């Protein structure tokens, strides 16, 4: 069983991990662990629904620029905690102050030169998740928040795919969810982001230069808007190469102790 998608007006990739079953037959408790895309477009009804679901903490994994451009809706009774997963210099694909039009022009040029440019770019972000000490520190803070809080915790980035996805992967590893279910749940993002991706392809095709093949828009979009198992495999490969196992990574890089792992299982499994 994968995480359960919940319908909202302003978020299309919000899911409850409750019900996922681990290798020992224990299930993640419902209404405690939520993954999502950003809450900038949350309606009043959405905010009330989050409170009814039991969400008490929101962890925003985006960088400062993203949080400034599309701030989350603040919800009374829910504590908002900025927790950028990447260093500011390396957070998000837009690393400078160029306009959206300039960024799109650059992206078109890069993709025209190499259709897989953004595949390699995104793979680099997953390499950072496996190698950057700042990110390890934020992963540690994520787990400490789960240990120290009471009530539902929701974590999100922009699309709920990469930064949100990698923390969900690590949490599921701690909770001993089977690898095949971890991978399937990571890819489930595509069920809820495909419509947005298709719309973005159409928007990009409208601004392509006349001599540019329309497939460029597909390459630009599919590697950045959708989850690809190759990204996750790259992360796992680097973890095994540098630490031997995901368990060693959690212990030695993230700093999660055996007692803390057991505490997380006792708290979130039934």
């Amino acid at each position: 069983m994968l995480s359960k998608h919940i319908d909202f007006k302003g978020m299309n990739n919000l899911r409850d991990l409750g019900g996922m079953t681990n290798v020992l037959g224990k299930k993640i408790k419902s209404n405690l662990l939520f993954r999502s895309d950003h809450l900038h477009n949350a309606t009043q009804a959405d905010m009330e629904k989050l409170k009814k679901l039991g969400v008490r903490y929101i962890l925003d994994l985006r960088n400062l620029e993203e949080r400034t451009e599309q701030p989350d809706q603040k919800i009374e009774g829910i504590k908002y905690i900025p927790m950028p997963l990447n260093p500011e210099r390396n957070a998000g694909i837009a690393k400078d102050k160029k306009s959206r039009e300039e960024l799109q022009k650059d992206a078109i040029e890069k993709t025209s030169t190499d259709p897989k440019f953004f595949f390699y770019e995104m793979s680099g972000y997953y390499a950072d998740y496996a190698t950057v000490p700042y990110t390890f520190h934020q992963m540690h803070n994520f787990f400490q928040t789960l240990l120290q809080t009471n009530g539902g915790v929701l974590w999100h980035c922009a699309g709920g795919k990469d930064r949100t996805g990698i923390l969900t992967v690590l949490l599921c590893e701690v909770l001993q969810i089977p690898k095949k279910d971890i991978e399937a749940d990571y890819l489930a993002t595509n069920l809820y982001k495909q419509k947005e991706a298709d719309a973005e392809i159409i928007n990009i095709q409208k601004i392509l230069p006349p001599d540019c093949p329309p497939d460029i828009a597909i390459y630009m979009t599919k590697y950045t808007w959708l989850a690809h198992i190759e990204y996750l495999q790259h992360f796992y490969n680097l973890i095994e190469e540098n630490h031997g196992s995901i368990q060693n990574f959690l212990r030695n890089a993230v700093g999660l102790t055996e007692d803390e792992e057991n505490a997380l299982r006792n708290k979130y499994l039934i």
Side-chain angles (χ1 to χ4, degrees):
M1 182 175 178
L2 306 184
S3 57
K4 177 185 176 183
H5 182 260
I6 306 173
D7 289 327
F8 283 88
K9 185 73 172 179
M11 299 84 77
N12 58 23
N13 194 17
L14 197 153
R15 294 179 262 160
D16 180 356
L17 271 60
M20 295 184 74
T21 305
N22 78 358
V23 295
L24 301 175
K26 293 186 175 183
K27 294 182 181 295
I28 298 178
K29 297 177 183 178
S30 297
N31 298 334
L32 286 177
L33 300 170
F34 300 89
R35 55 175 297 168
S36 182
D37 44 353
H38 68 72
L39 309 185
H40 178 67
N41 298 321
T43 65
Q44 187 62 42
D46 288 339
M47 293 186 272
E48 292 301 320
K49 188 172 183 176
L50 285 173
K51 289 196 285 189
K52 289 180 180 178
L53 284 169
V55 175
R56 296 295 176 263
Y57 300 87
I58 291 172
L59 313 182
D60 192 339
L61 310 178
R62 300 174 298 166
N63 71 322
L64 179 60
E65 182 179 348
E66 292 172 291
R67 300 196 308 269
T68 301
E69 290 181 353
Q70 292 189 310
D72 278 1
Q73 300 291 343
K74 299 304 186 289
I75 307 171
E76 184 180 356
I78 299 181
K79 185 175 181 179
Y80 173 82
I81 305 174
M83 192 177 287
L85 191 62
N86 295 346
E88 291 296 327
R89 62 173 177 78
N90 194 34
I93 290 177
K95 298 178 185 177
D96 50 38
K97 297 295 183 181
K98 291 182 179 180
S99 68
R100 177 175 173 81
E101 291 74 19
E102 290 174 317
L103 289 169
Q104 284 182 327
K105 182 179 178 181
D106 286 351
I108 290 169
E109 291 177 356
K110 291 172 179 175
T111 309
S112 297
T113 302
D114 183 353
K116 294 192 74 174
F117 173 83
F118 282 110
F119 174 82
Y120 302 128
E121 180 91 346
M122 292 304 300
S123 296
Y125 290 119
Y126 280 76
D128 289 345
Y129 301 147
T131 58
V132 175
Y134 172 88
T135 299
F136 301 163
H137 176 72
Q138 293 297 70
M139 290 171 173
H140 180 83
N141 288 338
F142 169 72
F143 283 113
Q144 293 305 309
T145 301
L146 295 184
L147 285 166
Q148 296 168 11
T149 54
N150 292 311
V153 179
L154 180 151
W155 57 97
H156 77 84
C157 50
K161 171 175 65 76
D162 303 307
R163 290 164 285 188
T164 298
I166 214 68
L167 287 186
T168 304
V169 164
L170 292 177
L171 176 58
C172 286
E173 286 283 1
V174 171
L175 299 181
Q176 301 174 313
I177 302 300
K179 181 80 171 290
K180 63 180 179 61
D181 291 344
I182 292 175
E183 293 177 342
D185 195 68
Y186 167 78
L187 291 173
T189 279
N190 297 342
L191 298 173
Y192 313 112
K193 300 301 287 185
Q194 186 68 58
K195 186 176 180 180
E196 282 185 61
D198 291 342
E200 182 69 5
I201 290 170
I202 293 172
N203 290 334
I204 293 173
Q205 287 176 336
K206 291 177 181 177
I207 63 170
L208 288 176
D211 60 342
C212 192
D215 283 356
I216 291 299
I218 297 175
Y219 290 118
M220 286 175 61
T221 304
K222 75 174 184 177
Y223 291 132
T224 55
W225 285 66
L226 300 176
H228 293 267
I229 195 62
E230 291 87 353
Y231 298 158
L232 188 57
Q233 289 171 339
H234 186 45
F235 171 76
Y236 271 108
N237 289 342
L238 286 171
I239 293 298
E240 292 195 10
E241 179 181 324
N242 295 325
H243 300 276
S245 69
I246 195 75
Q247 290 74 25
N248 289 342
F249 173 75
L250 287 163
R251 185 82 75 251
N252 301 325
V254 178
L256 196 62
T257 69
E258 183 178 357
D259 286 345
E260 288 170 336
E261 288 190 359
N262 288 330
L264 286 164
R265 292 169 191 144
N266 289 334
K267 183 173 184 178
Y268 291 110
L269 293 171
I270 188 171

